[in-house]
Amino acid sequence: MKKKLALTFFVVALVLLGLAVAVGFIGKEKGLEYEQRVLTQQTVASGTIPFKRGEITDRNGTVLAANEAVYNLILDPSVINSNENILEPTLNLLVECYGYDRGELEELLAENPNSQYIRYTLRMSEEERNKFLERKEEINNNLKIKDKIEGVWFETEYKRIYPYSTLACDLIGFASKDGASGSYGVEQYYNDELAGTSGRTYRYINEDSDAEQVTRDAVDGNTIVSTIDVNLQSIVEEQIKKFNEEVGAKNTAVIIMDPNNGEVLAMASYPYFDLNNPADLSVSGYYSQEEISAMSAEERLEALNGLWSNYVTQSLYEPGSTAKPLTIAAGLEEGKLSPGDSYMCDGGWDYAEGKRINCHKTSGHGLLDVEGAIVESCNDALIQIGQQIGTDVFCKYQPVFGLGTRTGIDLPGEEDGILKKKEEMSEIDLVTNSFGQNFNATVIQMAAAHCSLINGGYYYTPHVVKEILRPDGSVVKSVDKTLVRKTVSETTSDFLKKAMLAMVDNQSPWSTAIPGYEIGGKTGTAEKQPRSDRKYVVSFTSFLPASDPEYFMMVVIDEPNVEDQSTGGYATNLTRSLWEAVIPYLNLFPTRSTGEEQETTQAPLPEGAEAPGNGENQGGAENPEGNGNPGEAENPEENGNPGEAENPEGNGNPGEAENPEGNGEPEGAGNPGEAGNPEGGENPEGGAANGENPPGGENGAYNNGIFQGDFE
């Protein structure tokens, strides 16, 4: 019997111990939930205490995304209906201040006589709220009357505001009205950090029938400190806007980075949108009001999604000649070629009977070494280099440079890119890939790859956030540079910097060179699919100082609004304009002589002036803003060249003679009416006059693109 009693006692004690543990666990893990349930059963009124979404700032603390208090007007019918001295004056004041329908208010109070919480008007301004509160105080303090204003109070919320409207819209993104979620950009990628937790107030009746209140405070979101410089960003967007006012394009994108740590200092693209009203398609002027009015709901949604997407990270394009340094770097690293190797350019490469891939100079560059292949941007030489290094090496190094995979930048929706697999790559694939066609990359991939080429071979993850701070200013996380891998050796990096510096120094006549500054760079022009449409993406990568780069810039212009889109002078001139504006702001000093021996042939021209070293401007085309004539000058990469001018990279260009790739000046090629004149001159689209060749010029050798025959 004693044993049974002892066993029973032990079991009961064990059960009680288990219950105690369970109750303790429930109290710890579920206590708040159950407390809220109990309060809910007794609650006579409750309210939400909103959190403040974390701010987004630039690297120097300038606020790019903030919060503004707004107020919801709350009615308490149980109080308003309690006394005629409250009901009548309260209704009168609501009608007086806000013009409400008195009948509607009376009906609402009659239908909900015991309610204590009706949200009647949402998101009032502080001015609107104060108008009521000031009159309320005036009436309630008047002892000569019995009227009292009661049963109306205001609940605080916060709405997201963007002080700079459109600035850095692609990078920042936008948040929902209540600040709970973000869309696009930093707002979406860092939503968990930016979003806080709402608080709560509970008014309930206790056991003694007294009203009590419990408050759970809100927890505000963290502040995101971005890597961008708001002044640098403003400069970039101003120049993009100017370009689109004068010329225009389907997309225009610019990114400036610190090549030594992967920080994005500025990132912008056109068209842009207003962060405070992201659904307004008319802000950038990209769509006319007539076009917007004619859109169906589906078309409007498609247009908005295109507007909100970030061209730098979410669009794929064929990079063209900006990929040539990557091809050369792969060969140098693997010992498949050396700087002293030479290549004979006879104007193109025949891959089948009647089918030819042309160099931009169809008469041929003659003998070139590896540096010369970059300076002249010679397709023929790059084809030979691609064949020399072979498929295995080429396909090995594309992923090394980050092509075909996401860079890992801290922005949502980044694309991967599209590469040919080694086992699927044909000879023609290797040939075209070697000079940047027939594979797809993103702007950020090409930018990160070039940064590694010029910083000694270190591939850093590009990033747009520098720090995450708590509401009290303490640091949650510092985002340091992240080294992913080594791409090339210091020796290869030094060679490529030297070659790309020579490329800029030898550009003529519309150069990106600025006297006193070592700027290295590479043009790029890619013919889009289908080739027969003759649509192009032109680009330019550049960096300074070339010997020890501190800043990297990439400009990409997708389908410029001109008759001949392959004219690379648009990207070249925009790059120069950007550097001319950026250099003074960054307080960069010249690193070499500014004497005449360093001056290039490009100088700002007054409207109607003749192009230096280029004969007469036969079409009378004017140069807008004096910045050189992008409409007729640089035909980088894919145009046949009239007048025996060197025409970089491969497209029939009947009426555009200059050579932006850094080659020698055209011989006698005129400029027949090719300049876009946004200030009111003739031919605003920048097209060649009637497509005619200047006197003495030869017809473009490949007017249907870089590829002759039926190759695509």
Side-chain angles (χ1 to χ4, degrees):
M1 182 62 70
K2 290 181 179 179
K3 289 182 179 179
K4 290 181 179 180
L5 288 172
L7 180 60
T8 301
F9 177 79
F10 177 76
V11 171
V12 171
L14 191 62
V15 170
L16 291 174
L17 179 63
L19 287 172
V21 171
V23 169
F25 176 79
I26 291 172
K28 181 180 179 180
E29 299 295 326
K30 302 286 187 177
L32 178 60
E33 178 183 338
Y34 290 138
E35 180 183 350
Q36 291 176 351
R37 288 187 185 180
V38 172
L39 290 173
T40 300
Q41 294 172 5
Q42 305 179 71
T43 295
V44 295
S46 66
T48 299
I49 303 175
F51 64 83
K52 288 184 181 180
R53 189 170 177 86
E55 293 182 339
I56 300 174
T57 74
D58 85 333
R59 64 191 300 114
N60 301 311
T62 301
V63 177
L64 304 175
N67 306 285
E68 182 180 276
V70 291
Y71 305 92
N72 301 327
L73 187 149
I74 310 299
L75 300 178
D76 185 340
S78 67
V79 173
I80 298 174
N81 289 326
S82 65
N83 192 307
E84 279 298 316
N85 292 329
I86 294 176
L87 176 62
E88 288 302 316
T90 298
L91 290 177
N92 289 339
L93 186 57
L94 287 170
V95 172
E96 174 190 329
C97 288
Y98 304 121
Y100 294 149
D101 185 313
R102 185 184 180 91
E104 181 181 294
L105 286 171
E106 290 175 342
E107 183 179 351
L108 181 66
L109 294 174
E111 291 175 351
N112 304 277
N114 299 316
S115 174
Q116 295 178 317
Y117 182 85
I118 297 176
R119 302 175 82 188
Y120 193 69
T121 301
L122 304 181
R123 305 177 79 78
M124 284 184 164
S125 68
E126 184 176 8
E127 182 181 0
E128 291 174 312
R129 181 200 64 165
N130 289 344
K131 180 166 57 174
F132 183 90
L133 293 180
E134 288 169 3
R135 288 285 290 126
K136 173 185 175 181
E137 183 178 6
E138 181 182 334
I139 293 171
N140 287 354
N141 289 341
N142 188 346
L143 300 179
K144 296 180 180 180
I145 60 175
K146 295 181 179 180
D147 292 349
K148 298 296 175 187
I149 309 299
E150 301 291 349
V152 178
W153 50 284
F154 294 87
E155 179 183 74
T156 303
E157 283 189 0
Y158 295 96
K159 73 173 183 178
R160 199 63 158 167
I161 60 169
Y162 301 92
Y164 292 92
S165 183
T166 61
L167 189 76
C169 57
D170 286 336
L171 185 141
I172 295 172
F174 51 91
S176 58
K177 288 184 177 180
D178 60 3
S181 61
S183 299
Y184 298 90
V186 171
E187 291 277 27
Q188 179 177 332
Y189 193 91
Y190 286 95
N191 186 68
D192 290 347
E193 295 288 348
L194 290 163
T197 304
S198 295
R200 194 84 175 170
T201 60
Y202 303 92
R203 293 173 59 205
Y204 66 97
I205 305 301
N206 63 18
E207 294 177 354
D208 299 324
S209 298
D210 294 327
E212 292 189 8
Q213 181 168 301
V214 174
T215 300
R216 298 285 180 185
D217 292 330
V219 178
D220 294 335
N222 293 326
T223 293
I224 301 296
V225 180
S226 71
T227 58
I228 69 168
D229 181 318
V230 70
N231 295 313
L232 202 59
Q233 182 78 23
S234 298
I235 291 171
V236 167
E237 295 195 17
E238 181 181 349
Q239 292 298 324
I240 290 177
K241 180 181 179 182
K242 182 179 177 182
F243 168 79
N244 278 279
E245 288 173 348
E246 295 177 354
V247 180
K250 181 178 180 180
N251 289 285
T252 310
V254 175
I255 183 171
I256 299 177
M257 295 177 65
D258 183 338
N260 300 304
N261 58 21
E263 288 185 355
V264 175
L265 305 177
M267 177 190 289
S269 66
Y270 177 89
Y272 48 79
F273 59 94
D274 183 357
L275 291 168
N276 293 305
N277 189 12
D280 187 351
L281 285 169
S282 66
V283 171
S284 68
Y286 189 76
Y287 296 101
S288 68
Q289 196 58 55
E290 291 75 17
E291 289 174 322
I292 296 170
S293 300
M295 289 180 181
S296 65
E298 292 77 12
E299 290 171 335
R300 181 179 176 82
L301 181 59
E302 183 180 354
L304 285 172
N305 286 328
L307 200 65
W308 296 335
S309 66
N310 188 338
Y311 188 84
V312 175
T313 61
Q314 295 179 288
S315 294
L316 297 176
Y317 78 112
E318 294 181 62
S321 290
T322 55
K324 289 176 179 177
L326 305 181
T327 301
I328 290 171
L332 292 173
E333 282 300 297
E334 292 294 308
K336 295 290 186 177
L337 71 151
S338 63
D341 290 349
S342 58
Y343 307 91
M344 177 59 69
C345 170
D346 63 0
W349 179 71
D350 298 309
Y351 63 92
E353 185 175 351
K355 298 179 180 179
R356 181 175 177 84
I357 294 178
N358 294 287
C359 186
H360 59 84
K361 185 178 181 182
T362 54
S363 60
H365 288 106
L367 196 64
L368 297 173
D369 60 12
V370 177
E371 180 179 308
I374 291 178
V375 171
E376 301 293 343
S377 197
C378 177
N379 284 355
D380 197 352
L382 261 294
I383 290 171
Q384 296 173 57
I385 289 172
Q387 293 174 321
Q388 183 177 338
I389 66 176
T391 300
D392 289 348
V393 170
F394 185 85
C395 291
K396 171 185 174 182
Y397 272 84
Q398 279 191 308
V400 169
F401 291 124
L403 304 182
T405 57
R406 299 173 188 174
T407 65
I409 190 172
D410 44 350
L411 289 172
E414 183 184 6
E415 288 286 349
D416 288 303
I418 303 173
L419 304 180
K420 278 284 186 179
K421 296 179 180 179
K422 181 176 68 174
E423 55 272 18
E424 298 174 351
M425 184 171 283
S426 65
E427 181 183 20
I428 197 69
D429 291 327
L430 176 62
V431 163
T432 54
N433 278 205
S434 67
F435 58 82
Q437 293 264 192
N438 279 353
F439 70 88
N440 286 280
T442 62
V443 175
I444 192 63
Q445 285 175 351
M446 292 302 296
H450 270 261
C451 283
S452 79
L453 288 185
I454 64 175
N455 69 10
Y458 300 95
Y459 187 99
Y460 295 108
T461 301
H463 59 282
V464 300
V465 167
K466 193 175 184 67
E467 278 186 323
I468 302 174
L469 306 177
R470 294 185 182 88
D472 63 7
S474 59
V475 178
V476 176
K477 180 182 179 181
S478 292
V479 183
D480 299 319
K481 63 182 180 182
T482 302
L483 177 62
V484 180
R485 58 185 163 270
K486 197 84 161 65
T487 57
V488 297
S489 64
E490 292 277 354
T491 301
T492 297
S493 178
D494 289 343
F495 170 79
L496 291 170
K497 287 186 289 186
K498 177 174 173 289
M500 286 190 277
L501 172 62
M503 186 267 162
V504 171
D505 283 346
N506 285 279
Q507 279 181 308
S508 174
W510 312 103
S511 174
T512 53
I514 298 175
Y517 293 90
E518 299 174 282
I519 298 178
K522 184 70 192 77
T523 52
T525 298
E527 190 175 13
K528 299 175 70 173
Q529 295 277 13
R531 311 296 187 197
S532 58
D533 286 355
R534 293 184 57 74
K535 295 185 181 296
Y536 296 85
V537 180
V538 293
S539 58
F540 198 90
T541 66
S542 56
F543 51 93
L544 69 76
S547 56
D548 186 17
E550 298 177 25
Y551 299 96
F552 169 85
M553 181 191 297
M554 187 165 187
V555 172
V556 179
I557 301 173
D558 180 16
E559 297 186 23
N561 295 337
V562 293
E563 184 175 326
D564 191 339
Q565 296 181 357
S566 66
T567 303
Y570 295 106
T572 305
N573 283 352
L574 179 54
T575 298
R576 181 184 173 97
S577 296
L578 282 161
W579 281 125
E580 287 176 335
V582 163
I583 285 173
Y585 169 69
L586 295 175
N587 200 27
L588 299 176
F589 296 99
T591 55
R592 60 185 183 181
S593 171
T594 59
E596 292 184 357
E597 71 277 5
Q598 292 294 342
E599 293 182 4
T600 66
T601 54
Q602 176 173 350
L605 296 179
E607 293 188 358
E610 295 181 358
N614 191 36
E616 186 177 354
N617 189 347
Q618 298 173 0
E622 297 179 354
N623 290 311
E625 303 298 324
N627 281 331
N629 192 354
E632 84 253 3
E634 301 172 341
N635 182 16
E637 302 180 10
E638 305 196 55
N639 272 342
N641 206 5
E644 299 180 356
E646 298 183 7
N647 181 22
E649 297 204 81
N651 277 323
N653 187 9
E656 300 177 286
E658 330 278 59
N659 176 16
E661 295 291 325
N663 302 324
E665 291 186 13
E667 298 176 7
N671 262 335
E674 175 64 27
N677 183 7
E679 303 301 328
E682 294 181 358
N683 195 11
E685 289 301 310
N690 301 321
E692 296 178 357
N693 295 317
E698 57 182 329
N699 188 34
Y702 37 99
N703 288 335
N704 290 323
I706 191 169
F707 307 109
Q708 285 188 339
D710 58 5
F711 175 79
E712 288 193 356

